[in-house]
Amino acid sequence: MPVTELKTSVKEAVSTKKTLFNRKHLSLILFVLPAFVFYLIFLFIPTVGAGIYSFTDWNGLNQSYNFVGISNYIEAFQDDKAFRHSFIFTLKYTIFVFIIQNVVALFLALLIESRRKSKGFFRTIFFMPNMISLIISSFMFSFIFTNVFPELSKQAVFSILDQSWIGDPKVSFYSILIVSLWQGIGYMMVIYMAALQGVPKQLKEAAMIDGANIFQRVTHVILPMIMHAITICSFLTLNGAFKVFDVVYALTQGGPGTSTQVMALNIYEEAFSNNFRFGYANAKAMILFLVVLVITLIQVSVLKRKEVEA
C-alpha cells in the first residue's frame, strides 16, 4: 500500500473514532442533564441559599433582612434547650434504628435465602410495608395504638398492651421505633438478599466440608462477601434516621410536650409554627446537614476500607 493511501486511511480511522467518541459523550450528557438540572434547582441552590440565610434574621416573608453573623449558631448551641434535646433524641433514635434494622434485615435475608421454596412469597410479604407511604403507615399505627391495643388489653393474655403508646413519654419512643422498623426492614432485607445471591456456593460448601458451623460460615465467609451491601444499607439507614420527620409528625407531633421531637421537626416548627424565624431555622438545618455529612463520610470510609480488606 502506498504511503499516501496509508496516511489517508489512518486519518479516516482517527476521524471516525473521534466522531463516535463525541457522539458517545453527547448521549451521556443528554442522559445526565435532566437529573443534573433537577439536582441544581431543588437541592444545590436551596442548600446554598440556606447557608446564606443562616447568617441572617430573615423571617421568610419580608424582602429585607440583616446579617447577624454566627449569632444564630451560638444561640442554637448555647441557649436552645429544645434543639439540644431534639439532637439527643434523634441520635438515640438513629442508634436504635441503625442496629435493629440492619441486624433483623440481615437475619431475615439469611433465613429466607436458606429456604429452597417460598423465597418469593416471603420476600413479598416482608417488602410489602415498604410499598406503603411512611405517613400512611404512621396513621395506621396511630389507630392501632389508640383503638386496637386498648381493646386487646382487656383480655388478660394481652394485658401488656395496656399502655399509653403515644401519650406516655417513656413509651412513645418505642411506638415511633416500631413503625419505622416495620416499614424499613423489608427494604434492607431485599438488598441483603440480592447480595447473598452473589456469594459463590463453592465457598459455603467448602466451609461446611471444613467443619465450620453456621455462625462461623456467616462471620468468616458470608459477611466479608456482602460488605458492599452492608455499606449501602448502613448509609441508607443512617441518612434516613437522622432526617426522620414524617413518622414523628404523624404519630406524636413531637409530644407529649417536646419529648419525641426530632431535629427535622424542631427546624420545621422554628420556621413555620413559632416566630417564623427562617434565618435561625436555616442555621439549625445547616447544623443537621453538617452532622449527617460528617457521620456519613466516616461510616462510608470505614466500611469501604472493610470492603477492601475483605
Side-chain angles (χ1 to χ4, degrees):
M1 178 182 294
V3 176
T4 54
E5 294 182 5
L6 180 61
K7 289 182 179 180
T8 302
S9 60
V10 170
K11 289 181 180 179
E12 291 177 354
V14 171
S15 177
T16 304
K17 187 176 181 180
K18 286 183 178 180
T19 302
L20 294 174
F21 181 81
N22 292 333
R23 288 180 179 177
K24 181 180 179 180
H25 276 66
L26 180 61
S27 62
L28 290 175
I29 291 173
L30 291 177
F31 275 112
V32 173
L33 186 60
F36 177 76
V37 171
F38 276 97
Y39 170 82
L40 194 66
I41 295 175
F42 294 105
L43 187 61
F44 181 77
I45 294 177
T47 302
V48 174
I52 295 173
Y53 285 121
S54 68
F55 297 101
T56 69
D57 61 354
W58 185 47
N59 63 4
L61 299 175
N62 297 335
Q63 293 183 354
S64 60
Y65 52 83
N66 301 311
F67 280 92
V68 294
I70 61 173
S71 61
N72 287 332
Y73 292 90
I74 295 174
E75 181 181 352
F77 283 112
Q78 291 186 355
D79 304 327
D80 198 333
K81 293 181 179 179
F83 181 66
R84 292 201 300 270
H85 175 269
S86 68
F87 173 77
I88 295 172
F89 183 84
T90 304
L91 186 63
K92 176 184 175 183
Y93 170 84
T94 301
I95 292 172
F96 273 80
V97 169
F98 175 76
I99 295 174
I100 298 175
Q101 188 162 288
N102 282 284
V103 170
V104 175
L106 180 58
F107 174 76
L108 290 174
L110 290 168
L111 192 63
I112 296 174
E113 194 61 29
S114 64
R115 297 179 61 88
R116 294 184 178 181
K117 298 180 180 180
S118 305
K119 287 184 183 180
F121 171 76
F122 286 106
R123 187 189 300 119
T124 303
I125 290 297
F126 284 107
F127 185 75
M128 280 181 65
N130 190 259
M131 300 173 66
I132 306 173
S133 170
L134 187 54
I135 194 77
I136 302 299
S137 301
S138 302
F139 286 126
M140 289 169 47
F141 272 90
S142 179
F143 175 80
I144 293 172
F145 290 143
T146 56
N147 295 279
V148 178
F149 280 5
E151 291 298 323
L152 293 176
S153 66
K154 293 179 181 179
Q155 307 297 326
V157 181
F158 301 106
S159 59
I160 193 175
L161 299 178
D162 188 14
Q163 305 281 343
S164 180
W165 290 88
I166 297 177
D168 188 346
K170 296 180 180 179
V171 183
S172 53
F173 169 76
Y174 299 101
S175 302
I176 297 170
L177 198 63
I178 288 171
V179 179
S180 301
L181 294 174
W182 179 82
Q183 204 263 354
I185 284 176
Y187 184 69
M188 301 303 161
M189 183 200 70
V190 170
I191 297 176
Y192 283 126
M193 288 187 67
L196 288 172
Q197 292 175 0
V199 178
K201 293 182 179 180
Q202 296 84 348
L203 291 177
K204 293 184 285 187
E205 292 173 355
M208 291 178 63
I209 294 172
D210 290 339
N213 56 37
I214 181 63
F215 179 77
Q216 291 171 330
R217 293 199 300 271
V218 170
T219 55
H220 297 292
V221 177
I222 295 177
L223 289 183
M225 295 295 296
I226 63 170
M227 279 304 300
H228 59 287
I230 295 175
T231 302
I232 294 171
C233 291
S234 299
F235 170 78
L236 294 175
T237 306
L238 283 174
N239 196 37
F242 263 108
K243 297 188 298 184
V244 63
F245 173 84
D246 40 10
V247 61
V248 179
Y249 187 78
L251 272 181
T252 66
Q253 293 186 348
T258 58
S259 59
T260 60
Q261 192 178 72
V262 291
M263 294 180 71
L265 183 57
N266 181 273
I267 293 168
Y268 169 82
E269 291 188 348
E270 193 67 54
F272 298 102
S273 300
N274 292 346
N275 300 317
F276 290 94
R277 300 181 64 190
F278 272 71
Y280 184 46
N282 278 321
K284 292 182 177 182
M286 293 307 297
I287 293 172
L288 175 59
F289 168 74
L290 293 174
V291 168
V292 175
L293 178 64
V294 170
I295 293 178
T296 301
L297 289 176
I298 294 173
Q299 172 256 319
V300 171
S301 62
V302 170
L303 291 180
K304 282 291 183 182
R305 195 178 304 117
K306 293 289 185 181
E307 288 183 33
V308 174
E309 292 175 0

